[in-house]
Amino acid sequence: MDVKEFIDQRVEEIKTIVGPEMAISALSGGVDSSACTVLAHWAIKDNMKVIFIDDGLMRKSEPQEVQKVFADLGITVEIIDAQDEFFMALKGKIDPEEKRKAFRNAFYTVFKKAVLDSGARFLIQGTIAADIIETKGGVKTQHNILDQIGISAEDQYGYKLVEPLRDLFKHQVREVAKELGLPEAIHQRMPFPGPGLATRVVGEVTPERVEVVRKATVIVEEEIIGLKPFQAFAVLLSDKGTGIDEGKRLFGDIIIVRSVESRDALTAEPTPIPWETLMTISRRITAELPNVVRVAYEITPKPPATIEYI
Ligand code: XMP
């Protein structure tokens, strides 16, 4: 792929599709939506608003960090606080696909309001090829793929979707992001799923349970980041295990540490992590999160496991 040619073509395409209308770009801060937002900014900067939905499922300080990166590029990002809507939609849901569908519906409902309130007719989003392949292949419902085949986004939601990266795989998106001038922190950023930490909380997704995973994720990222894995994160299981807290029995939480190597996320291998690093992670998680009594490192490739837990 000739990256410069790809960018020129997509910029022209976005200009033609959106024309003089208004569009909203859906930014999550991941490499896909970031590249997509900058592409769209190059194409239609004056007719575009960039929106970041704070769904309460982001990593620590993510909304503010993303806003800062884009401010440095001269792009204003509006953060919409929709945490209550997402936690309401996920309340009581245990089944992974039900959780994914609840997330997706909340995502489109919040965006529908944002798009229609601002008089926009287009939603620009960073869907990539793997999202489409996995949803159509029946692996799992990606938050950004509509499953009612034959019903367009316009009929369902009242706006048209623009997806300039839908033919690319992750490594190609990284090249495009670099060429677009995004900083390394973004173009080499670990993939983070649309439904955020909800994919790493097995069982009910509540603000309290998300906070446990968020804190454990900070530790995993801090300790493993030097190994430059494709993706590394923590998962909170719904099962519990017996442990000891100040001499007393505690039936507490179990955290799984997952780190994988991959090129396109369609297959993956566990990262061979040095034992000392694993022990540091285990000690830090149990010390910094007193209700966690067990930490395990996952050693399953994809397939048969998927990368995320739901
Ligand atoms: P799985 O868990 O299916 O993940 O092996 C493959 C890659 O996709 C990411 N992922 C998602 N990305 N929306 C996204 O934008 C989603 O719903 C979603 N689910 C998984 C995951 O982090 C991995 O990189």
Side-chain angles (χ1 to χ4, degrees):
M1 176 181 80
D2 182 323
V3 178
K4 287 201 171 97
E5 206 174 286
F6 174 87
I7 292 173
D8 290 346
Q9 278 172 359
R10 289 302 186 269
V11 165
E12 285 313 310
E13 226 173 79
I14 296 171
K15 275 188 193 158
T16 311
I17 295 172
V18 177
E21 304 277 353
M22 262 302 284
I24 297 275
S25 184
L27 177 68
S28 72
V31 61
D32 308 342
S33 67
S34 296
C36 189
T37 296
V38 179
L39 256 184
H41 178 76
W42 284 18
I44 51 161
K45 73 166 122 280
D46 296 329
N47 318 5
M48 180 180 86
K49 203 159 137 184
V50 181
I51 289 185
F52 180 104
I53 302 287
D54 183 355
D55 53 18
L57 302 164
M58 296 284 159
R59 283 166 293 190
K60 192 164 176 283
S61 313
E62 206 157 18
Q64 294 69 31
E65 282 169 14
V66 170
Q67 201 171 34
K68 160 104 187 37
V69 166
F70 278 81
D72 291 347
L73 293 170
I75 302 177
T76 306
V77 177
E78 185 184 324
I79 298 178
I80 296 183
D81 182 350
Q83 300 191 34
D84 292 347
E85 281 93 324
F86 280 87
F87 282 117
M88 275 304 285
L90 290 162
K91 197 171 162 50
K93 305 232 166 23
I94 307 287
D95 178 76
E97 276 296 292
E98 254 184 54
K99 281 157 66 173
R100 283 181 163 272
K101 285 182 179 148
F103 179 92
R104 186 189 52 192
N105 293 343
F107 176 86
Y108 277 107
T109 306
V110 171
F111 266 110
K112 177 177 176 177
K113 186 168 181 320
V115 173
L116 300 182
D117 281 357
S118 60
R121 289 203 36 228
F122 297 89
L123 178 66
I124 303 173
Q125 61 174 21
T127 313
I128 64 167
D131 301 339
I132 300 164
I133 292 169
E134 299 235 313
T135 298
K136 300 233 161 100
V139 175
K140 53 177 75 164
T141 306
Q142 302 269 334
H143 75 285
N144 49 0
I145 308 288
L146 304 172
D147 66 351
Q148 287 160 275
I149 305 296
I151 305 179
S152 68
E154 195 166 23
D155 291 340
Q156 277 189 70
Y157 300 105
Y159 52 76
K160 289 186 183 155
L161 284 180
V162 182
E163 298 175 316
L165 307 178
R166 59 186 289 131
D167 298 330
L168 301 193
F169 285 95
K170 191 67 93 188
H171 62 281
Q172 297 171 307
V173 179
R174 291 196 196 285
E175 288 174 37
V176 171
K178 190 171 176 191
E179 184 64 34
L180 288 167
L182 279 156
E184 188 174 340
I186 299 273
H187 68 73
Q188 291 311 316
R189 199 178 180 90
M190 285 194 276
F192 186 63
L197 298 175
T199 63
R200 299 166 184 181
V201 171
V202 183
E204 192 179 3
V205 180
T206 62
E208 296 73 27
R209 300 191 76 224
V210 168
E211 193 52 24
V212 172
V213 144
R214 183 177 287 123
K215 287 187 171 149
T217 298
V218 171
I219 298 170
V220 172
E221 287 189 359
E222 281 176 2
E223 298 299 334
I224 297 187
I225 209 80
L227 299 174
K228 294 192 184 274
F230 178 76
Q231 240 174 319
F233 53 88
V235 178
L236 175 65
L237 295 188
S238 50
D239 273 344
K240 291 190 179 271
T242 300
I244 306 159
D245 182 38
E246 295 183 357
K248 293 216 169 63
R249 176 181 187 276
L250 172 65
F251 198 47
D253 289 328
I254 306 173
I255 289 282
I256 302 283
V257 177
R258 180 108 166 109
S259 179
V260 295
E261 303 308 319
S262 178
R263 186 169 153 87
D264 53 16
L266 295 176
T267 60
E269 287 294 325
T271 309
I273 306 229
W275 185 250
E276 258 320 302
T277 308
L278 287 175
M279 288 310 294
T280 304
I281 292 172
S282 164
R283 276 193 288 270
R284 280 194 61 191
I285 291 179
T286 49
E288 293 172 37
L289 292 157
N291 210 43
V292 176
V293 294
R294 277 160 201 259
V295 177
Y297 183 56
E298 148 121 47
I299 51 171
T300 327
K302 171 182 181 177
T306 57
I307 295 174
E308 307 287 347
Y309 262 59
I310 75 155

